Amino acid sequence: MMPDKDRSGVIQLLERAPFAAMLGLKIESATDGSATVRMPFDLRILNDGGPKAPIHGGAISALADVAACAAVWSLAATTRSATISLTVNYTGFAVNSDLIARARVKRTGKRIASVSVEVTDASDALIADALVTYKIA
């Protein structure tokens, strides 16, 4: 196990994973069970309809999952993790904006972690909230 302050290498691995890199995800912070992850605006993550189309829900869901994962891995006790479930509630449309996911571990047990995530746009409007459950070890 690594101490909390020495988790930066693990967190960087999450950001460099091929899928996260494809989406351009940037982990801005991850410490003490909380994480902030940014997804820069890109035309490749839009629904059909041109540059003013809303950002695809799958991209938003992936952002929430990576933010939750970073929050779980910011805990010193985490040595393995896997997503068990992901529930996303879409509350607004994101158009032509970076998205920011803020995740916080709500509870951990011996094998399970529950993480809440809020996804906002650049104007801080709520776009989605999520509950992510992770298997941890």
Side-chain angles (χ1 to χ4, degrees):
M1 276 190 279
M2 296 184 226
D4 280 340
K5 62 186 171 194
D6 200 16
R7 302 299 282 180
S8 61
V10 173
I11 300 302
Q12 288 173 358
L13 289 175
L14 297 174
E15 187 176 278
R16 289 195 316 254
F19 188 67
M22 179 185 69
L23 290 173
L25 302 183
K26 300 294 177 202
I27 300 172
E28 296 182 342
S29 66
T31 184
D32 299 324
S34 295
T36 301
V37 180
R38 178 178 299 272
M39 182 168 59
F41 176 76
D42 190 299
L43 295 174
R44 297 175 297 173
I45 62 172
L46 300 182
N47 284 304
D48 189 35
K52 295 293 183 183
I55 295 172
H56 191 281
I60 296 168
S61 176
L63 171 62
D65 190 31
V66 170
C69 187
V72 165
W73 276 96
S74 74
L75 300 172
T78 303
T79 59
R80 290 183 308 214
S81 73
T83 306
I84 293 174
S85 69
L86 170 66
T87 303
V88 180
N89 300 302
Y90 299 95
T91 58
F93 293 105
V95 178
N96 198 22
S97 176
D98 288 4
L99 295 183
I100 300 97
R102 292 175 183 86
R104 185 168 58 93
V105 175
K106 303 287 276 184
R107 182 178 169 105
T108 59
K110 290 182 181 183
R111 302 177 79 129
I112 302 289
S114 178
V115 186
S116 66
V117 184
E118 287 191 345
V119 178
T120 58
D121 67 10
S123 69
D124 209 32
L126 184 65
I127 302 303
D129 59 51
L131 178 61
V132 188
T133 306
Y134 269 89
K135 181 177 181 179
I136 57 171

